[in-house]
Amino acid sequence: GCGKTKTLQFISELAFNGESFSSNTSPAAILRTIDANSSTCCIDEVEGISKGKDDETLSVLSLLNYGYKLGGGDLKCELNAKKQYTPVWYDGYCPKVLAGIKTLDHTLATRCIPILMLRTHNKEILNRELPAQGDDFEALRSMLYPAMLESFMEIRKRATTIQSITLTGREWELWKPIITLASFMDFTGELCNRMRALAQRIQNNRKETDTATPLLLSALDALLTQENTEEKFCSTEELYRFLS
């Protein structure tokens, strides 16, 4: 009820070659669509991918894991005119937007920029629908597509020079395209600075999440492996002492 499906629909209407998929779409269909159109893939109900154990679901999960950066793709055996199977390379790299109500697979989550959405109590917003075939979307696309294509060389040049001191590793991989576009779109630098600040907050939150669980487990282990093995009540103060 927070509007995630509407958000996916909105993005798919405006993003470059936007396509909407469900988590039940076959990996072969998604991969071939990306390879043919460099589509922006909007996948709803993605929590089913993290929990699934069948081959199809694992294939979609694998596609999402390796397709987040340039060069990610997969080899498929295709039947040629001579009725012989030959390996064919499919490019799996493209922007992807995933929506769900539960936590993603840990590996996939590290390759995503999380956006937490909250349900609105404003009925006007809650009941608002996006037009299925809106002329406004077509008009906006007719401006966005040429603007980006005509500016490609300048954006590419900026991407080779832009740097970050605070963002590191995969966080910089994920945010570099967004920060590059922000620096191009706003000559004042305000938008770029806001994107950098947001990226830094998300990176810090990830670090806190990654270290909190091991720290808690270590504290519990210390409590349970003390010399006194008799059952007893452990107060909050005791747990806090081991955590600190």
Side-chain angles (χ1 to χ4, degrees):
C2 64
K4 59 183 180 61
T5 302
K6 288 181 184 178
T7 302
L8 287 185
Q9 181 186 351
F10 182 80
I11 293 173
S12 66
E13 290 286 354
L14 292 182
F16 183 77
N17 289 346
E19 295 281 355
S20 295
F21 300 99
S22 73
S23 59
N24 294 323
T25 305
S26 72
I30 297 176
L31 183 62
R32 284 169 170 78
T33 301
I34 296 171
D35 181 76
N37 304 319
S38 298
S39 301
T40 301
C41 294
C42 300
I43 306 178
D44 202 0
E45 300 174 350
V46 76
E47 59 271 4
I49 296 175
S50 296
K51 301 295 182 182
K53 301 299 181 182
D54 58 283
D55 292 340
E56 284 284 294
T57 303
L58 292 176
S59 294
V60 174
L61 181 60
S62 177
L63 168 63
L64 296 176
N65 282 333
Y66 65 63
Y68 84 101
K69 62 186 297 185
L70 189 64
D74 200 8
L75 279 173
K76 297 290 185 183
C77 285
E78 302 283 352
L79 196 63
N80 59 25
K82 297 180 180 180
K83 296 185 178 181
Q84 296 176 332
Y85 283 98
T86 56
V88 178
W89 172 259
Y90 286 94
D91 187 4
Y93 171 65
C94 74
K96 301 174 183 67
V97 188
L98 315 176
I101 59 174
K102 295 182 180 179
T103 305
L104 291 173
D105 172 82
H106 177 71
T107 302
L108 179 57
T110 63
R111 291 161 165 79
C112 296
I113 296 175
I115 299 174
L116 180 63
M117 300 180 65
L118 301 176
R119 184 171 184 172
T120 181
H121 295 288
N122 186 326
K123 291 184 178 180
E124 181 182 352
I125 296 176
L126 189 64
N127 296 329
R128 189 180 299 163
E129 294 291 337
L130 292 175
Q133 299 292 334
D135 294 336
D136 290 341
F137 286 130
E138 184 177 348
L140 285 169
R141 285 195 301 267
S142 69
M143 292 186 290
L144 288 171
Y145 277 44
M148 286 293 100
L149 292 173
E150 290 173 5
S151 306
F152 173 75
M153 294 305 296
E154 173 61 24
I155 295 172
R156 184 177 183 179
K157 181 180 178 180
R158 285 174 180 262
T160 61
T161 58
I162 197 165
Q163 296 179 345
S164 174
I165 299 175
T166 56
L167 295 174
T168 57
R170 183 164 290 150
E171 292 294 337
W172 179 234
E173 280 186 337
L174 296 174
W175 282 97
K176 183 179 179 181
I178 295 175
I179 293 174
T180 301
L181 288 173
S183 70
F184 172 77
M185 294 169 63
D186 182 7
F187 69 92
T188 66
E190 181 182 354
L191 179 60
C192 184
N193 290 335
R194 289 173 60 187
M195 290 299 99
R196 286 181 183 272
L198 175 60
Q200 187 62 52
R201 288 201 301 272
I202 290 178
Q203 178 177 255
N204 293 340
N205 288 339
R206 280 196 211 270
K207 289 180 179 179
E208 291 176 4
T209 303
D210 290 343
T211 57
T213 300
L215 183 60
L216 177 60
L217 293 176
S218 298
L220 292 174
D221 180 67
L223 277 170
L224 295 171
T225 55
Q226 292 182 100
E227 293 183 3
N228 184 4
T229 57
E230 295 180 0
E231 292 185 7
K232 69 166 189 173
F233 173 78
C234 295
S235 65
T236 305
E237 288 75 12
E238 287 180 286
L239 181 58
Y240 179 78
R241 187 174 67 253
F242 278 94
L243 283 170
S244 57

